Amino acid sequence: MTLQLVFDALSLGGIYAIAALGIALIFGVMKLVNFAHGQFIAFAVFALIVPSTDAVAVMGLGAAPALVLVPALLAVGAGLAVASEYLVFRPLRNVSPVALMVASFALGVVIQNALLVIYGGRPKAISLWPELGKPVRLLGAEVPMLQIMVICAVLLVLALLAIMLKRSRVGLEMRAAAEDFGMARLLGVRANAVIAGAFALSGALAATVALVLVAQTGVADVRMGGQIMLIAFIATVVGGMGSLPGAVAAGFAIGAVSVALQAVLPIEARPFRDAFLYGLVILVLLLRPQGLFASASAKPRV
Amino acid sequence: MTEHQARKLASLTTPLLLIALLTAFVLLIDAFGDRSLGRMAAETLIRVTLVVGFWIFAGNSGVISFGHAAFACVGAYVSAWMTLKPAMKSLLLPGLPDWVAQAEWHVLPAAVVAGVMAALLALATGAAILRLSGIAASIATFAFLAMVNTIWANWTPVTGGTSSVVGLARYVTPWVGLGWASVAIVVAAIYGASASGLALRATREDEVAASASGIDRYRHRLAAFTVSAFFCGVGGALMGHLIGVINPDGFYLSLTFLMLAMLVVGGIGSLSGAVVGVLVVSIAVEGLVRLEKGVTLGATQFALPAGSQEILIGLAMIFVLIFRSAGLLAGRDLILPAAWVAGRAKTTK
């Protein structure tokens, strides 16, 4: 029972952590709070099926073998994110963070309604890798195969990302840009390349979340990215805006707290779990308004 | 009369001009005598109340709030609780406390109480949220919006849950809307010109310099947040009494988006921007909704797919941000020249 909870917490927290990373990466390099991230996720979900407004979903890309499907979907997510950067956020490079945030909110509404026009508003059932739903016995607990896959995938993504950020030139440039964008440019970091790179990574992370969501829930709904995006936002704020390790840690923490609340709350209070969660977050922020891992550049310098 | 006095007097003409503009709008629509147009006019004026309320906080503080739709939600439900017939309430909302279940108030005090409840909620949540810095506060207001929506959608005995509450008295005409919109505009102008409003705009322009001059950012933000929530609460109540049906999802992301779009298109920097933004976007939305329903041009039937309204408004918002980032009015107010107000008397320096 308790072990089961640990697996639940790890898999849920892992998804939150990946989504939060996608938001923190972009915030780090260009101070943009990307309100379209949830729609990036939804877009990647719908990229799996053939465009039509019929109630029954026909798998398009989703029918491909996993070896083709996964890289292709990551490319779709990255492509959408880079295209948004080029068309919307690049012309807005010099406006205030508030205006950027509002623009991303508008972009999110545009993408969501474009999906609505193309695919229709009703949620569609799609089954991706149904064989992963089977439970496996592990250390005395019944765990769905999918959950183990998710945890492994999350750890793999985090490890790859950490290696990339620490070891590669692009990663170094990205971290430098997140620390102090102006200084990094003076030292020869190419702004366009770094920002486009951050968007591509963020889009690929959104596609990862999309894959996990579809495999878990088995539906495609135009609204499906919204709730995850909200939690991811909260994780980036709790972790300290702009801190990547903070976002990951806070993502896992929120996952753990939400699984714990689900287990502890009395039955009648369970529908309000998310309300408790958000209330708790506001409490945490009262105690540490700068977040748990505030980055040095978070405070304005005079 | 000194130049300063003349300018101050001239700034008083802004709310008057705006109210005159809205009155002209209502008279024009009234002249058509078309029922659906009248409804659109009433809806537009309610949106003026909402967006001017929203502007009192967002415009003066420069902090975008995503939570104001939640105040509209609270306002709409408070008004429904106070005005619905007791028999209806025992059927739809069995969980209400007795004295609320028996209440059958007149609509005006109910609207005021709706605003007051929203303001109290804003005071409580703002006390927590507004301690955060600008962007983090925006995200926290988003969490607040989701929190209110979760509670309202699940607290079925009191809110009816996701099923709609029906049977609200439909008393809102364009003139009722005009009345509340005018009150909102006057209060917004008074707040903007008050010491607190000036202090808050100083923090918007330069946070560090303002705090070095001894301005307590948190206190002024909280004051503006509370006043602004009052009008959003009233706006929500009016919205409910315009359509007669309320539902938690009617006060969620799409309303937030619409309010933001109006503020951005008109220009967040001035009160006139907020009002003009509502008029421009409302007229555009009305046109697009008609196109979505379909129009006949000669022999061909032509209709936009559902959802294209949001797409076009969203694109318009992005274009405004790229090409005219301060909005249509770019932070200026509609105002009579100071020389006119001062009359022939020469202004002395």
PDB file of all heavy atoms in Angstrom, chain A residues 33 35 92 98 101-103 105 109 113-114 117 230 233 237 271 282 286 302, chain B residues 64 66 128 131 135 138 142 146 154 208 257 264 306-307 310-311 317 321:
ATOM      1  N   VAL A  33       6.897  33.896 -19.237  1.00  0.00           N
ATOM      2  CA  VAL A  33       6.074  32.874 -18.602  1.00  0.00           C
ATOM      3  C   VAL A  33       5.163  32.344 -19.690  1.00  0.00           C
ATOM      4  O   VAL A  33       4.264  33.037 -20.142  1.00  0.00           O
ATOM      5  CB  VAL A  33       5.232  33.467 -17.463  1.00  0.00           C
ATOM      6  CG1 VAL A  33       4.386  32.393 -16.829  1.00  0.00           C
ATOM      7  CG2 VAL A  33       6.129  34.096 -16.434  1.00  0.00           C
ATOM      8  N   PHE A  35       2.356  30.849 -21.242  1.00  0.00           N
ATOM      9  CA  PHE A  35       1.003  30.367 -20.996  1.00  0.00           C
ATOM     10  C   PHE A  35       0.498  29.479 -22.129  1.00  0.00           C
ATOM     11  O   PHE A  35      -0.616  28.999 -22.072  1.00  0.00           O
ATOM     12  CB  PHE A  35       0.050  31.550 -20.799  1.00  0.00           C
ATOM     13  CG  PHE A  35      -0.104  31.941 -19.367  1.00  0.00           C
ATOM     14  CD1 PHE A  35       0.804  32.786 -18.767  1.00  0.00           C
ATOM     15  CD2 PHE A  35      -1.150  31.464 -18.618  1.00  0.00           C
ATOM     16  CE1 PHE A  35       0.679  33.138 -17.447  1.00  0.00           C
ATOM     17  CE2 PHE A  35      -1.285  31.813 -17.289  1.00  0.00           C
ATOM     18  CZ  PHE A  35      -0.371  32.651 -16.701  1.00  0.00           C
ATOM     19  N   LEU A  92       8.625  40.211 -30.365  1.00  0.00           N
ATOM     20  CA  LEU A  92       8.318  40.819 -29.067  1.00  0.00           C
ATOM     21  C   LEU A  92       9.523  40.799 -28.137  1.00  0.00           C
ATOM     22  O   LEU A  92       9.389  40.998 -26.936  1.00  0.00           O
ATOM     23  CB  LEU A  92       7.164  40.065 -28.399  1.00  0.00           C
ATOM     24  CG  LEU A  92       5.785  40.289 -29.009  1.00  0.00           C
ATOM     25  CD1 LEU A  92       4.794  39.294 -28.435  1.00  0.00           C
ATOM     26  CD2 LEU A  92       5.309  41.697 -28.741  1.00  0.00           C
ATOM     27  N   VAL A  98       5.544  41.294 -18.816  1.00  0.00           N
ATOM     28  CA  VAL A  98       4.081  41.229 -18.689  1.00  0.00           C
ATOM     29  C   VAL A  98       3.438  41.115 -20.057  1.00  0.00           C
ATOM     30  O   VAL A  98       2.557  40.281 -20.297  1.00  0.00           O
ATOM     31  CB  VAL A  98       3.556  42.467 -17.935  1.00  0.00           C
ATOM     32  CG1 VAL A  98       2.051  42.521 -18.022  1.00  0.00           C
ATOM     33  CG2 VAL A  98       4.000  42.417 -16.487  1.00  0.00           C
ATOM     34  N   MET A 101       3.935  37.702 -21.467  1.00  0.00           N
ATOM     35  CA  MET A 101       3.051  36.733 -20.846  1.00  0.00           C
ATOM     36  C   MET A 101       1.651  36.804 -21.472  1.00  0.00           C
ATOM     37  O   MET A 101       1.045  35.778 -21.790  1.00  0.00           O
ATOM     38  CB  MET A 101       2.988  37.039 -19.351  1.00  0.00           C
ATOM     39  CG  MET A 101       2.119  36.152 -18.540  1.00  0.00           C
ATOM     40  SD  MET A 101       2.347  36.506 -16.794  1.00  0.00           S
ATOM     41  CE  MET A 101       1.506  38.048 -16.621  1.00  0.00           C
ATOM     42  N   VAL A 102       1.168  38.032 -21.673  1.00  0.00           N
ATOM     43  CA  VAL A 102      -0.157  38.200 -22.265  1.00  0.00           C
ATOM     44  C   VAL A 102      -0.167  37.652 -23.692  1.00  0.00           C
ATOM     45  O   VAL A 102      -1.118  36.980 -24.111  1.00  0.00           O
ATOM     46  CB  VAL A 102      -0.564  39.688 -22.242  1.00  0.00           C
ATOM     47  CG1 VAL A 102      -1.843  39.894 -23.014  1.00  0.00           C
ATOM     48  CG2 VAL A 102      -0.726  40.161 -20.813  1.00  0.00           C
ATOM     49  N   ALA A 103       0.916  37.891 -24.440  1.00  0.00           N
ATOM     50  CA  ALA A 103       0.992  37.377 -25.812  1.00  0.00           C
ATOM     51  C   ALA A 103       0.958  35.858 -25.817  1.00  0.00           C
ATOM     52  O   ALA A 103       0.289  35.250 -26.659  1.00  0.00           O
ATOM     53  CB  ALA A 103       2.262  37.881 -26.488  1.00  0.00           C
ATOM     54  N   PHE A 105      -0.427  33.958 -23.614  1.00  0.00           N
ATOM     55  CA  PHE A 105      -1.805  33.569 -23.271  1.00  0.00           C
ATOM     56  C   PHE A 105      -2.680  33.599 -24.531  1.00  0.00           C
ATOM     57  O   PHE A 105      -3.439  32.672 -24.808  1.00  0.00           O
ATOM     58  CB  PHE A 105      -2.340  34.529 -22.211  1.00  0.00           C
ATOM     59  CG  PHE A 105      -3.626  34.087 -21.563  1.00  0.00           C
ATOM     60  CD1 PHE A 105      -3.625  33.042 -20.671  1.00  0.00           C
ATOM     61  CD2 PHE A 105      -4.810  34.732 -21.837  1.00  0.00           C
ATOM     62  CE1 PHE A 105      -4.803  32.635 -20.059  1.00  0.00           C
ATOM     63  CE2 PHE A 105      -5.989  34.339 -21.232  1.00  0.00           C
ATOM     64  CZ  PHE A 105      -5.985  33.286 -20.346  1.00  0.00           C
ATOM     65  N   VAL A 109      -4.673  30.515 -26.588  1.00  0.00           N
ATOM     66  CA  VAL A 109      -6.082  30.498 -26.988  1.00  0.00           C
ATOM     67  C   VAL A 109      -6.199  30.215 -28.482  1.00  0.00           C
ATOM     68  O   VAL A 109      -7.066  29.450 -28.918  1.00  0.00           O
ATOM     69  CB  VAL A 109      -6.743  31.840 -26.624  1.00  0.00           C
ATOM     70  CG1 VAL A 109      -8.131  31.917 -27.205  1.00  0.00           C
ATOM     71  CG2 VAL A 109      -6.802  31.990 -25.120  1.00  0.00           C
ATOM     72  N   ASN A 113      -8.110  26.891 -29.947  1.00  0.00           N
ATOM     73  CA  ASN A 113      -9.294  26.980 -30.796  1.00  0.00           C
ATOM     74  C   ASN A 113      -9.032  26.466 -32.194  1.00  0.00           C
ATOM     75  O   ASN A 113      -9.949  25.986 -32.866  1.00  0.00           O
ATOM     76  CB  ASN A 113      -9.822  28.409 -30.814  1.00  0.00           C
ATOM     77  CG  ASN A 113     -10.550  28.718 -29.527  1.00  0.00           C
ATOM     78  OD1 ASN A 113     -11.667  28.288 -29.336  1.00  0.00           O
ATOM     79  ND2 ASN A 113      -9.887  29.402 -28.614  1.00  0.00           N
ATOM     80  N   ALA A 114      -7.764  26.545 -32.638  1.00  0.00           N
ATOM     81  CA  ALA A 114      -7.429  25.944 -33.925  1.00  0.00           C
ATOM     82  C   ALA A 114      -7.650  24.427 -33.831  1.00  0.00           C
ATOM     83  O   ALA A 114      -8.225  23.819 -34.741  1.00  0.00           O
ATOM     84  CB  ALA A 114      -5.985  26.247 -34.293  1.00  0.00           C
ATOM     85  N   VAL A 117     -11.340  23.767 -33.999  1.00  0.00           N
ATOM     86  CA  VAL A 117     -11.909  23.854 -35.348  1.00  0.00           C
ATOM     87  C   VAL A 117     -11.572  22.596 -36.130  1.00  0.00           C
ATOM     88  O   VAL A 117     -12.414  22.044 -36.845  1.00  0.00           O
ATOM     89  CB  VAL A 117     -11.365  25.104 -36.068  1.00  0.00           C
ATOM     90  CG1 VAL A 117     -11.710  25.060 -37.544  1.00  0.00           C
ATOM     91  CG2 VAL A 117     -11.920  26.355 -35.428  1.00  0.00           C
ATOM     92  N   LEU A 230      -0.876  24.511 -15.240  1.00  0.00           N
ATOM     93  CA  LEU A 230      -1.064  25.288 -14.015  1.00  0.00           C
ATOM     94  C   LEU A 230      -0.162  24.756 -12.906  1.00  0.00           C
ATOM     95  O   LEU A 230       0.529  25.520 -12.223  1.00  0.00           O
ATOM     96  CB  LEU A 230      -2.535  25.217 -13.602  1.00  0.00           C
ATOM     97  CG  LEU A 230      -2.868  25.895 -12.290  1.00  0.00           C
ATOM     98  CD1 LEU A 230      -2.482  27.354 -12.348  1.00  0.00           C
ATOM     99  CD2 LEU A 230      -4.339  25.759 -11.994  1.00  0.00           C
ATOM    100  N   PHE A 233       3.366  25.718 -13.590  1.00  0.00           N
ATOM    101  CA  PHE A 233       3.598  27.117 -13.204  1.00  0.00           C
ATOM    102  C   PHE A 233       3.884  27.216 -11.719  1.00  0.00           C
ATOM    103  O   PHE A 233       4.811  27.872 -11.275  1.00  0.00           O
ATOM    104  CB  PHE A 233       2.357  27.960 -13.443  1.00  0.00           C
ATOM    105  CG  PHE A 233       2.228  28.434 -14.829  1.00  0.00           C
ATOM    106  CD1 PHE A 233       0.984  28.668 -15.380  1.00  0.00           C
ATOM    107  CD2 PHE A 233       3.354  28.671 -15.586  1.00  0.00           C
ATOM    108  CE1 PHE A 233       0.868  29.104 -16.661  1.00  0.00           C
ATOM    109  CE2 PHE A 233       3.244  29.109 -16.870  1.00  0.00           C
ATOM    110  CZ  PHE A 233       1.987  29.326 -17.415  1.00  0.00           C
ATOM    111  N   VAL A 237       7.176  28.604  -9.694  1.00  0.00           N
ATOM    112  CA  VAL A 237       7.162  29.689  -8.705  1.00  0.00           C
ATOM    113  C   VAL A 237       7.681  29.183  -7.360  1.00  0.00           C
ATOM    114  O   VAL A 237       8.510  29.823  -6.717  1.00  0.00           O
ATOM    115  CB  VAL A 237       5.746  30.279  -8.544  1.00  0.00           C
ATOM    116  CG1 VAL A 237       5.729  31.308  -7.444  1.00  0.00           C
ATOM    117  CG2 VAL A 237       5.291  30.900  -9.829  1.00  0.00           C
ATOM    118  N   PRO A 271     -12.871  15.632  -3.928  1.00  0.00           N
ATOM    119  CA  PRO A 271     -13.014  16.454  -5.143  1.00  0.00           C
ATOM    120  C   PRO A 271     -12.307  17.803  -5.007  1.00  0.00           C
ATOM    121  O   PRO A 271     -11.954  18.424  -5.995  1.00  0.00           O
ATOM    122  CB  PRO A 271     -14.527  16.635  -5.272  1.00  0.00           C
ATOM    123  CG  PRO A 271     -15.120  15.542  -4.487  1.00  0.00           C
ATOM    124  CD  PRO A 271     -14.159  15.196  -3.403  1.00  0.00           C
ATOM    125  N   ILE A 282      -0.006  28.582  -1.804  1.00  0.00           N
ATOM    126  CA  ILE A 282      -0.027  29.996  -1.423  1.00  0.00           C
ATOM    127  C   ILE A 282       0.573  30.165  -0.033  1.00  0.00           C
ATOM    128  O   ILE A 282       1.313  31.112   0.240  1.00  0.00           O
ATOM    129  CB  ILE A 282      -1.468  30.551  -1.525  1.00  0.00           C
ATOM    130  CG1 ILE A 282      -1.881  30.594  -2.992  1.00  0.00           C
ATOM    131  CG2 ILE A 282      -1.565  31.938  -0.919  1.00  0.00           C
ATOM    132  CD1 ILE A 282      -3.273  31.077  -3.269  1.00  0.00           C
ATOM    133  N   LEU A 286       3.864  32.349   1.119  1.00  0.00           N
ATOM    134  CA  LEU A 286       3.836  33.376   2.163  1.00  0.00           C
ATOM    135  C   LEU A 286       5.094  33.303   3.009  1.00  0.00           C
ATOM    136  O   LEU A 286       5.628  34.308   3.442  1.00  0.00           O
ATOM    137  CB  LEU A 286       2.613  33.167   3.055  1.00  0.00           C
ATOM    138  CG  LEU A 286       1.353  33.829   2.557  1.00  0.00           C
ATOM    139  CD1 LEU A 286       0.212  33.541   3.500  1.00  0.00           C
ATOM    140  CD2 LEU A 286       1.575  35.313   2.437  1.00  0.00           C
ATOM    141  N   VAL A 302      20.012  47.391  -8.884  1.00  0.00           N
ATOM    142  CA  VAL A 302      19.873  48.837  -9.090  1.00  0.00           C
ATOM    143  C   VAL A 302      21.241  49.409  -9.468  1.00  0.00           C
ATOM    144  O   VAL A 302      22.228  49.098  -8.831  1.00  0.00           O
ATOM    145  CB  VAL A 302      19.377  49.508  -7.806  1.00  0.00           C
ATOM    146  CG1 VAL A 302      19.102  50.970  -8.082  1.00  0.00           C
ATOM    147  CG2 VAL A 302      18.145  48.810  -7.310  1.00  0.00           C
TER     148      VAL A 302
ATOM    149  N   ILE B  64      -0.532  41.944 -14.069  1.00  0.00           N
ATOM    150  CA  ILE B  64      -1.674  41.294 -14.704  1.00  0.00           C
ATOM    151  C   ILE B  64      -2.261  40.284 -13.735  1.00  0.00           C
ATOM    152  O   ILE B  64      -1.541  39.494 -13.136  1.00  0.00           O
ATOM    153  CB  ILE B  64      -1.235  40.558 -15.989  1.00  0.00           C
ATOM    154  CG1 ILE B  64      -0.807  41.562 -17.048  1.00  0.00           C
ATOM    155  CG2 ILE B  64      -2.350  39.690 -16.523  1.00  0.00           C
ATOM    156  CD1 ILE B  64      -1.923  42.384 -17.589  1.00  0.00           C
ATOM    157  N   PHE B  66      -4.932  37.120 -13.352  1.00  0.00           N
ATOM    158  CA  PHE B  66      -5.785  36.178 -14.064  1.00  0.00           C
ATOM    159  C   PHE B  66      -6.953  35.768 -13.181  1.00  0.00           C
ATOM    160  O   PHE B  66      -7.733  34.910 -13.543  1.00  0.00           O
ATOM    161  CB  PHE B  66      -4.982  34.941 -14.471  1.00  0.00           C
ATOM    162  CG  PHE B  66      -3.920  35.226 -15.470  1.00  0.00           C
ATOM    163  CD1 PHE B  66      -2.627  35.461 -15.087  1.00  0.00           C
ATOM    164  CD2 PHE B  66      -4.239  35.311 -16.817  1.00  0.00           C
ATOM    165  CE1 PHE B  66      -1.645  35.741 -16.022  1.00  0.00           C
ATOM    166  CE2 PHE B  66      -3.270  35.595 -17.753  1.00  0.00           C
ATOM    167  CZ  PHE B  66      -1.971  35.817 -17.354  1.00  0.00           C
ATOM    168  N   ALA B 128      -2.410  37.534   0.794  1.00  0.00           N
ATOM    169  CA  ALA B 128      -1.380  36.519   0.593  1.00  0.00           C
ATOM    170  C   ALA B 128      -0.664  36.719  -0.743  1.00  0.00           C
ATOM    171  O   ALA B 128       0.554  36.791  -0.802  1.00  0.00           O
ATOM    172  CB  ALA B 128      -2.018  35.129   0.641  1.00  0.00           C
ATOM    173  N   ARG B 131       1.943  39.784  -1.813  1.00  0.00           N
ATOM    174  CA  ARG B 131       3.293  39.887  -1.270  1.00  0.00           C
ATOM    175  C   ARG B 131       4.332  39.421  -2.284  1.00  0.00           C
ATOM    176  O   ARG B 131       5.511  39.734  -2.168  1.00  0.00           O
ATOM    177  CB  ARG B 131       3.431  39.008  -0.023  1.00  0.00           C
ATOM    178  CG  ARG B 131       2.762  39.601   1.177  1.00  0.00           C
ATOM    179  CD  ARG B 131       2.844  38.659   2.359  1.00  0.00           C
ATOM    180  NE  ARG B 131       1.806  38.963   3.297  1.00  0.00           N
ATOM    181  CZ  ARG B 131       1.887  39.936   4.199  1.00  0.00           C
ATOM    182  NH1 ARG B 131       2.960  40.661   4.280  1.00  0.00           N
ATOM    183  NH2 ARG B 131       0.878  40.178   5.013  1.00  0.00           N
ATOM    184  N   ILE B 135       5.470  38.998 -11.570  1.00  0.00           N
ATOM    185  CA  ILE B 135       5.158  37.820 -12.381  1.00  0.00           C
ATOM    186  C   ILE B 135       4.667  36.668 -11.510  1.00  0.00           C
ATOM    187  O   ILE B 135       3.695  35.994 -11.841  1.00  0.00           O
ATOM    188  CB  ILE B 135       6.421  37.378 -13.164  1.00  0.00           C
ATOM    189  CG1 ILE B 135       6.767  38.427 -14.217  1.00  0.00           C
ATOM    190  CG2 ILE B 135       6.237  36.021 -13.786  1.00  0.00           C
ATOM    191  CD1 ILE B 135       6.039  38.274 -15.496  1.00  0.00           C
ATOM    192  N   SER B 138       1.152  37.179 -10.624  1.00  0.00           N
ATOM    193  CA  SER B 138       0.243  36.841 -11.727  1.00  0.00           C
ATOM    194  C   SER B 138      -0.055  35.349 -11.735  1.00  0.00           C
ATOM    195  O   SER B 138      -1.200  34.924 -11.884  1.00  0.00           O
ATOM    196  CB  SER B 138       0.868  37.208 -13.077  1.00  0.00           C
ATOM    197  OG  SER B 138       1.054  38.584 -13.159  1.00  0.00           O
ATOM    198  N   PHE B 142      -3.563  33.110 -11.037  1.00  0.00           N
ATOM    199  CA  PHE B 142      -4.051  32.032 -11.906  1.00  0.00           C
ATOM    200  C   PHE B 142      -4.420  30.815 -11.059  1.00  0.00           C
ATOM    201  O   PHE B 142      -5.462  30.184 -11.281  1.00  0.00           O
ATOM    202  CB  PHE B 142      -2.965  31.691 -12.925  1.00  0.00           C
ATOM    203  CG  PHE B 142      -3.437  30.918 -14.108  1.00  0.00           C
ATOM    204  CD1 PHE B 142      -4.245  31.524 -15.052  1.00  0.00           C
ATOM    205  CD2 PHE B 142      -3.085  29.597 -14.283  1.00  0.00           C
ATOM    206  CE1 PHE B 142      -4.689  30.818 -16.150  1.00  0.00           C
ATOM    207  CE2 PHE B 142      -3.526  28.879 -15.381  1.00  0.00           C
ATOM    208  CZ  PHE B 142      -4.330  29.489 -16.320  1.00  0.00           C
ATOM    209  N   ALA B 146      -8.123  28.953 -10.582  1.00  0.00           N
ATOM    210  CA  ALA B 146      -8.369  27.515 -10.690  1.00  0.00           C
ATOM    211  C   ALA B 146      -8.963  26.973  -9.397  1.00  0.00           C
ATOM    212  O   ALA B 146      -9.827  26.099  -9.407  1.00  0.00           O
ATOM    213  CB  ALA B 146      -7.068  26.792 -11.017  1.00  0.00           C
ATOM    214  N   ASN B 154     -17.411  21.681  -7.621  1.00  0.00           N
ATOM    215  CA  ASN B 154     -17.589  20.465  -6.825  1.00  0.00           C
ATOM    216  C   ASN B 154     -18.464  20.628  -5.583  1.00  0.00           C
ATOM    217  O   ASN B 154     -18.881  19.639  -5.004  1.00  0.00           O
ATOM    218  CB  ASN B 154     -16.216  19.930  -6.381  1.00  0.00           C
ATOM    219  CG  ASN B 154     -15.448  19.347  -7.531  1.00  0.00           C
ATOM    220  OD1 ASN B 154     -15.866  18.367  -8.129  1.00  0.00           O
ATOM    221  ND2 ASN B 154     -14.361  19.974  -7.881  1.00  0.00           N
ATOM    222  N   VAL B 208      11.791  50.202  -7.641  1.00  0.00           N
ATOM    223  CA  VAL B 208      12.860  50.518  -6.692  1.00  0.00           C
ATOM    224  C   VAL B 208      12.798  51.985  -6.268  1.00  0.00           C
ATOM    225  O   VAL B 208      12.856  52.311  -5.076  1.00  0.00           O
ATOM    226  CB  VAL B 208      14.227  50.183  -7.322  1.00  0.00           C
ATOM    227  CG1 VAL B 208      15.342  50.525  -6.355  1.00  0.00           C
ATOM    228  CG2 VAL B 208      14.286  48.724  -7.703  1.00  0.00           C
ATOM    229  N   PHE B 257      -9.785  35.509 -20.680  1.00  0.00           N
ATOM    230  CA  PHE B 257      -9.164  35.848 -21.960  1.00  0.00           C
ATOM    231  C   PHE B 257      -9.809  37.092 -22.561  1.00  0.00           C
ATOM    232  O   PHE B 257      -9.138  38.019 -23.022  1.00  0.00           O
ATOM    233  CB  PHE B 257      -9.295  34.664 -22.927  1.00  0.00           C
ATOM    234  CG  PHE B 257      -8.945  35.001 -24.333  1.00  0.00           C
ATOM    235  CD1 PHE B 257      -7.643  35.365 -24.668  1.00  0.00           C
ATOM    236  CD2 PHE B 257      -9.896  34.961 -25.330  1.00  0.00           C
ATOM    237  CE1 PHE B 257      -7.312  35.677 -25.972  1.00  0.00           C
ATOM    238  CE2 PHE B 257      -9.574  35.276 -26.629  1.00  0.00           C
ATOM    239  CZ  PHE B 257      -8.284  35.643 -26.953  1.00  0.00           C
ATOM    240  N   VAL B 264      -5.849  44.817 -23.367  1.00  0.00           N
ATOM    241  CA  VAL B 264      -4.637  44.938 -24.179  1.00  0.00           C
ATOM    242  C   VAL B 264      -4.917  45.716 -25.463  1.00  0.00           C
ATOM    243  O   VAL B 264      -4.143  46.583 -25.859  1.00  0.00           O
ATOM    244  CB  VAL B 264      -4.084  43.530 -24.499  1.00  0.00           C
ATOM    245  CG1 VAL B 264      -3.035  43.609 -25.593  1.00  0.00           C
ATOM    246  CG2 VAL B 264      -3.484  42.925 -23.261  1.00  0.00           C
ATOM    247  N   ALA B 306     -17.046  27.260 -35.838  1.00  0.00           N
ATOM    248  CA  ALA B 306     -17.082  27.674 -34.431  1.00  0.00           C
ATOM    249  C   ALA B 306     -15.669  27.670 -33.864  1.00  0.00           C
ATOM    250  O   ALA B 306     -14.884  26.778 -34.161  1.00  0.00           O
ATOM    251  CB  ALA B 306     -17.961  26.702 -33.638  1.00  0.00           C
ATOM    252  N   GLY B 307     -15.366  28.691 -33.070  1.00  0.00           N
ATOM    253  CA  GLY B 307     -14.017  28.771 -32.505  1.00  0.00           C
ATOM    254  C   GLY B 307     -13.163  29.782 -33.239  1.00  0.00           C
ATOM    255  O   GLY B 307     -12.146  30.234 -32.727  1.00  0.00           O
ATOM    256  N   GLU B 310     -12.499  33.168 -31.320  1.00  0.00           N
ATOM    257  CA  GLU B 310     -11.383  33.252 -30.380  1.00  0.00           C
ATOM    258  C   GLU B 310     -10.052  33.337 -31.118  1.00  0.00           C
ATOM    259  O   GLU B 310      -9.147  34.055 -30.710  1.00  0.00           O
ATOM    260  CB  GLU B 310     -11.363  32.047 -29.437  1.00  0.00           C
ATOM    261  CG  GLU B 310     -12.320  32.139 -28.273  1.00  0.00           C
ATOM    262  CD  GLU B 310     -13.692  31.633 -28.628  1.00  0.00           C
ATOM    263  OE1 GLU B 310     -13.915  31.246 -29.805  1.00  0.00           O
ATOM    264  OE2 GLU B 310     -14.567  31.605 -27.743  1.00  0.00           O
ATOM    265  N   ILE B 311      -9.939  32.580 -32.217  1.00  0.00           N
ATOM    266  CA  ILE B 311      -8.680  32.591 -32.962  1.00  0.00           C
ATOM    267  C   ILE B 311      -8.391  34.003 -33.457  1.00  0.00           C
ATOM    268  O   ILE B 311      -7.285  34.527 -33.279  1.00  0.00           O
ATOM    269  CB  ILE B 311      -8.746  31.618 -34.151  1.00  0.00           C
ATOM    270  CG1 ILE B 311      -8.911  30.193 -33.640  1.00  0.00           C
ATOM    271  CG2 ILE B 311      -7.504  31.734 -35.012  1.00  0.00           C
ATOM    272  CD1 ILE B 311      -8.975  29.149 -34.720  1.00  0.00           C
ATOM    273  N   MET B 317      -4.934  40.316 -30.745  1.00  0.00           N
ATOM    274  CA  MET B 317      -4.189  40.681 -29.544  1.00  0.00           C
ATOM    275  C   MET B 317      -2.691  40.627 -29.799  1.00  0.00           C
ATOM    276  O   MET B 317      -1.939  41.529 -29.425  1.00  0.00           O
ATOM    277  CB  MET B 317      -4.535  39.653 -28.471  1.00  0.00           C
ATOM    278  CG  MET B 317      -4.984  40.206 -27.186  1.00  0.00           C
ATOM    279  SD  MET B 317      -5.651  38.826 -26.277  1.00  0.00           S
ATOM    280  CE  MET B 317      -4.705  38.980 -24.804  1.00  0.00           C
ATOM    281  N   LEU B 321       0.007  43.678 -29.771  1.00  0.00           N
ATOM    282  CA  LEU B 321       1.209  43.666 -28.920  1.00  0.00           C
ATOM    283  C   LEU B 321       2.477  43.880 -29.745  1.00  0.00           C
ATOM    284  O   LEU B 321       3.412  44.541 -29.304  1.00  0.00           O
ATOM    285  CB  LEU B 321       1.305  42.347 -28.155  1.00  0.00           C
ATOM    286  CG  LEU B 321       0.385  42.244 -26.954  1.00  0.00           C
ATOM    287  CD1 LEU B 321       0.325  40.827 -26.433  1.00  0.00           C
ATOM    288  CD2 LEU B 321       0.847  43.183 -25.846  1.00  0.00           C
TER     289      LEU B 321
END
